[in-house]
Amino acid sequence: MSTDLLDKPAGLASPFVRALVRLMRAEDSYGTWEGRTDADLLTDFIVTKEQRREIPIIGDPDPDVLWRLEKFYAAVGIDIERVTGRIASPMMKMSHEGFGRVLLTCGRLVVLTRTLRDVHRFGFETIEKLGEAGDKLVADAAGWIETHPDLADA
């Protein structure tokens, strides 16, 4: 067995994490991340408890954090399409202070709505937790689409 397979975190097997990595690689138009592993690409999404403690309670999000937040929810939309065959479009409104809302719509159906706060602290403890969070959002949204297919197709 290849040592590459042994070195990969288990979270990389998550369908959501694979969608997020594909999205990030697709948007790398200059090949900046070509030499980086998938796990290395996701390191910015990982915020350990110790790192979170060092981040002030109140703070404005920097552009990198907002970019990661947008990529996270865009990947949720991409994975919803993989699961349901229907396009789910994210819309995000964020104040400069890090408070806002994200919606994902499919046709006339809102399949995901989240109030966002303290986004300057956005991140997950591990790649596995990142995958679990994304997979749960996708499963919940797919459930709404299955329950209301007429609205999702409208």
Side-chain angles (χ1 to χ4, degrees), residues 93-109:
K93 177 70 175 170
M94 184 69 54
S95 77
H96 69 280
E97 296 172 330
F99 296 94
R101 177 171 285 286
V102 65
L103 301 170
L104 267 84
T105 59
C106 185
R108 292 181 180 229
L109 180 65

Side-chain angles (χ1 to χ4, degrees), residues 15-69:
F16 169 77
V17 170
R18 289 196 313 263
L20 180 58
V21 168
R22 277 193 317 272
L23 174 65
M24 291 177 69
R25 291 205 184 274
E27 292 188 2
D28 181 25
S29 56
Y30 296 106
T32 306
W33 297 327
E34 214 169 87
R36 293 176 70 180
T37 65
D38 293 348
D40 194 29
L41 273 181
L42 299 171
T43 56
D44 289 337
F45 288 89
I46 307 307
V47 179
T48 64
K49 288 181 181 180
E50 294 79 27
Q51 290 170 324
R52 194 174 306 277
R53 273 188 227 120
E54 292 174 9
I55 300 171
I57 299 288
I58 298 171
D60 296 343
D62 66 23
D64 291 339
V65 172
L66 294 175
W67 181 84
R68 285 193 300 273
L69 190 67

Side-chain angles (χ1 to χ4, degrees), residues 76-87:
V76 170
I78 289 169
D79 209 32
I80 289 169
E81 185 176 0
R82 177 191 62 81
V83 171
T84 66
R86 294 176 174 95
I87 295 173

Side-chain angles (χ1 to χ4, degrees), residues 91-141:
M91 293 180 281
M92 190 168 76
K93 177 70 175 170
M94 184 69 54
S95 77
H96 69 280
E97 296 172 330
F99 296 94
R101 177 171 285 286
V102 65
L103 301 170
L104 267 84
T105 59
C106 185
R108 292 181 180 229
L109 180 65
V110 175
V111 296
L112 182 142
T113 178
R114 289 284 181 269
T115 299
L116 303 172
R117 43 181 266 196
D118 300 332
V119 298
H120 66 287
R121 301 175 74 172
F122 175 74
F124 302 88
E125 287 185 45
T126 63
I127 292 175
E128 290 80 11
K129 294 208 185 240
L130 168 67
E132 289 169 8
D135 288 336
K136 182 179 181 331
L137 292 174
V138 170
D140 290 348

